Amino acid sequence: MTEMTLLTKPAHELAALLRAGEITSEELTRVHLEQIEALNPTLNAFLAVDAVGALAAARDIDARRAAGEELGPLAGIPIAVKDNFCTRDLPTTCGSRMLEGWLPPYDATVITRLREAGLVILGKTNMDEFAMGSSTETSAFGPTRNPWDTDRIPGGSGGGSSAAVAGFLAPLAVGSDTGGSIRQPGAVTGTVGVKPTYGGVSRYGVVAMASSLDQPGPVARTVLDAALLHEVIGGHDPRDSTSIPGSPTGLAEAARMRDVRGMRVGVVKELGGEGYDADVEAAFLGAVELLKEAGADVIEVSCPHFTYALSAYYLIHPAEVSSNLARFDAMRYGLRLGDDGTNGAEAVTSITRGEGFGREVKRRIIIGTHALSSGYHDQYYGSAQKVRTLVARDFDAAFELCDVLVSPTTPTVAFRLGERMDDPLAMYKADLCTIPSNLAGNASASFPVGTSEEGLPIGLQVMAPPLADDRLYRVGGWLEAVLEEKWGGPLLQQMTPLPETKAVFA
Amino acid sequence: MTEMLDYDDVLENFDPAIGLEVHVELSTASKMFCGCSTTFGAEPNSQTCPVCLGLPGSLPVVNAKAVESAIRIGLALNCQIAPWGRFARKNYFYPDMTKNFQTSQYDEPIAHDGWVDLEVEGEMFRIDVERAHMEEDAGKLTHVGTSGRIHGAEYSLLDYNRAGTPLIEIVTRPILGTGAKAPQVAKAYVSHLRDLMRALKVSDVRMEHGSLRCDANISLAPKGAVELGIRTETKNVNSLRSVERAITFEMRRQGALLLDGGRVKQETRHFDEATGTTRSGRSKEEAQDYRYFAEPDLVPVAPSAEWVEELRATLPEQPVARRKRLAGEWDTDELAMRDIVAVGAMDMIEETVAAGAAPQAARKWWVGELARRANEGGVELEELAITPKDVAEVCALVASGELNDKLARQVFEGVLAGEGSAREVVDNRGLAVVSDDGALKDAVDKAIAANPDVAARIRDGKHQAIGALIGQVMKAMRGQADAARVRELVLEELG
């Protein structure tokens, strides 16, 4: 075993090596910091790297382990954090000029839980500005590139995290999913991304985009890793009123089951057809065949209102955005422009917001402000809320018949950088399949199912009822085992290694 | 100079309609949506956290105690309590709002459709309460510069200690049919709310600290008209007296305007305590669109029927019932009770009686001497630097003969001047009535010797002359003698 093969190992295997004393967290952290140094200039996955803090945390875990302390299952494992999680004394920018250099005075609950579980925070990953985008191109700090093809996008908004995990810069990451920001990047980078049931993971300290849709979740290379991380970050938080009582259990167990016999699987009729890449549909249908062969009951179900989900989402989401982002007014923290003594407070706010927010953010603030304004409120925001209810009812009806629903995660493979930047609607369509679960609040995940003809990864989306997150892991764990056997190893092994990479498969 | 119509002419031509919005700051230990302290007067920005500073990522959590207070207030106002209700975001930009939206209740208030009965100068009025809802207070802005307002300020200071303090806003329906008594009815209503909040122990209702704030909507309609006139909303009405003055002023101002063929502009006006006038503020015609929507960061407030009933059982006596009960206990007639209510002395007398004083004595001091001093100082009775316990102590000293009324007044003066408790003032000033017969006898003998004519007349049975001698003795004793005992001693000598 060389240091370089450590980079490609799943987190649960690394954890076993740490427990066995074969490697130290410091060693593991150092290898990842070196890989970041080598690859980040190409990928721009990290916006901030905390080498000093990470090594200190790693040494602390090593010392505690040496002292015989009982540690959590992922203690000592390095992790990347999306830049919208507040991290005490570590920059938190949300990919925006508006928060450039802002050092939060507090940790998000997820961060507290990571630290308590002994994970080592490597740094903060790039994202679309305030998580608005599906390509990480709206980041004020430049786009992130997809390690499979650096001319292509790594998905968004959590493209920094997906690229970091797919490019072996970190074995794990945490992200947030408002319309697909964990799942779609997972699909286009060949990694695992899970959006837990709304309320399953605390939002406290995650800079809000659309509060009723935002849900933090795990990003990983394997299903079991995602489950283990989900168990670390999940569970009730008294600081988040919308957080669900209790803790998630049985997720890792479900990931290890590797059996889908008797599971009722619904193929959502509306999520396919026109606008979907043939390769994506083929890979998806291939996975559905495997499910049938493995003894699952596969049926087709209709969720007629999913057709309107995207439209409803693009009213509810910007409405909440317009309110959540109002606090960035240059008064208390973050960017302040035009404060030269000639401008009053109102003008300073206006100048700062004008310069500090990017185009996509401004577009959504304007749409949201309009959707909520007097005289239009019922017509736009009100109607969208009704559609939201109908989408949730479609799910309810489908889950009467099925244990899980499946669809492609996103209609296409990773598109080229710049390809959709001037066409917001095309960009929004990347989230066509993922948005319904945000509107309804149920659990959903993306797992790698193959590659396109041009060698780009494709994801399968699994959707489960609220609180039945374990079913995602059961299907995902089985699928991974079957496919890896077929492929002769993980999908990421099919990626052409980047010239600068230090990662090697054993 | 604003044109003003005579009050009588206003009433001859118009019917006033008033509407009151009262904000009550709850005295919960912590804020509405976070654990920060709500103590008044702390070092600026020392009572803040990521939540009340609205830092990115922070989330609110509802203070259960505030909900409890809101329900109790609603019940005390005879309101229906909503079994399910959401908070809403009221979106507007202002530097005193850390999130640039206020978390409030909009179309789903926790309490609605209640009423309050008031008696004003023997006449009963029913005030309909439209709603009572929960919201958070904003921070405090201090504009530095000559203007004292945001426009023209050199800079502004922000203190977010108050940001997030729980507020209950109580809104009446238009109050009609009060005629000439409109200002008094409004004052009586606010005074009633103050008493109620105090009885509920949900707020310290100190108008001077802003823990009870009142906005008054006023409009005039031609006499007998069905439709209400255009209203103004007067803010900054922050004392009971101001409620009365602001409404009177607006009635007279609007009356002059309307009678002159003018139009009342729908606007916000500010009351100026110093001049007793209102001046134009922000025009409602350019009012903001608050873009309300249900607060997604909070779950709905859904008090169970059992909980509401439990809280109903904790309600204190209603003020009207209490007044009746106390009149009986104190053996006080209706007229005297009215005086007590007029000076706002009910609580103080009750507490003084509870501290051991006789009701009549307690009433005498609070309604007389102390009310006079409060009035002179332009403050409310309970703002005087004297406690019911002090007054009870003085009453006890008078009852035991250790003090007389004159000395008692001096004790009050000392306590109010900050010289300590009643006992301490008595001791430090050496104010006890002289009960040493030896000293008194000496003084009596001296007085008799100095006034042989008077003494002779008393000896002749002209007892009315005795007052002159008592006066001499009291003067010699610097007032610290028991006049009755002096009289006895004089009669022993001369009788």
Side-chain angles (χ1 to χ4, degrees), chain A residues 7 21 28 48 59 61 68 111 168 190 192 207 216 239 255 262 281 294 339 355 381 387 400 421 455 463 485:
Chain A
L7 289 172
L28 189 60
R59 280 191 289 266
I61 284 296
I111 301 301
F168 308 106
V192 175
V207 179
R239 288 179 184 275
E281 293 219 283
D339 187 15
E355 304 256 326
Y381 184 73
V387 172
E400 290 277 310
M421 277 306 273
M463 295 163 273
E485 203 183 313

Side-chain angles (χ1 to χ4, degrees), chain B residues 126-140:
Chain B
R126 172 160 289 199
I127 312 296
D128 288 325
V129 174
E130 182 187 304
R131 58 189 282 155
H133 72 250
M134 297 180 276
E135 61 184 34
E136 58 177 335
D137 209 345
K140 195 170 151 232

Side-chain angles (χ1 to χ4, degrees), chain B residues 30 32 73 284 338-339 347-348 381 400:
Chain B
S30 58
M32 188 73 222
I73 289 169
K284 277 268 173 179
R338 232 183 253 182
D339 288 343
D347 288 348
M348 310 311 264
L381 210 46
S400 71

Side-chain angles (χ1 to χ4, degrees), chain B residues 317 322-332 350 353 359-360:
Chain B
E317 205 177 2
R322 175 170 174 236
R323 180 168 158 176
K324 234 174 231 157
R325 174 178 61 81
L326 290 177
E329 284 176 19
W330 297 345
D331 191 19
T332 304
E350 192 177 21
V353 170
Q360 297 308 323

Side-chain angles (χ1 to χ4, degrees), chain B residues 187-235:
Chain B
K187 180 187 172 188
Y189 169 74
V190 177
S191 165
H192 171 88
L193 287 188
R194 199 183 59 166
D195 293 348
L196 200 60
M197 298 307 141
R198 211 172 266 152
L200 287 163
K201 295 189 168 63
V202 293
S203 168
D204 61 2
V205 280
R206 301 282 292 267
M207 290 186 91
E208 73 281 11
H209 287 177
S211 56
L212 187 146
R213 310 197 281 269
C214 178
D215 300 340
N217 290 293
I218 301 134
S219 68
L220 295 181
K223 254 201 140 22
V226 178
E227 287 213 3
L228 297 181
I230 295 168
R231 69 170 198 275
T232 59
E233 181 180 1
T234 301
K235 292 194 178 281

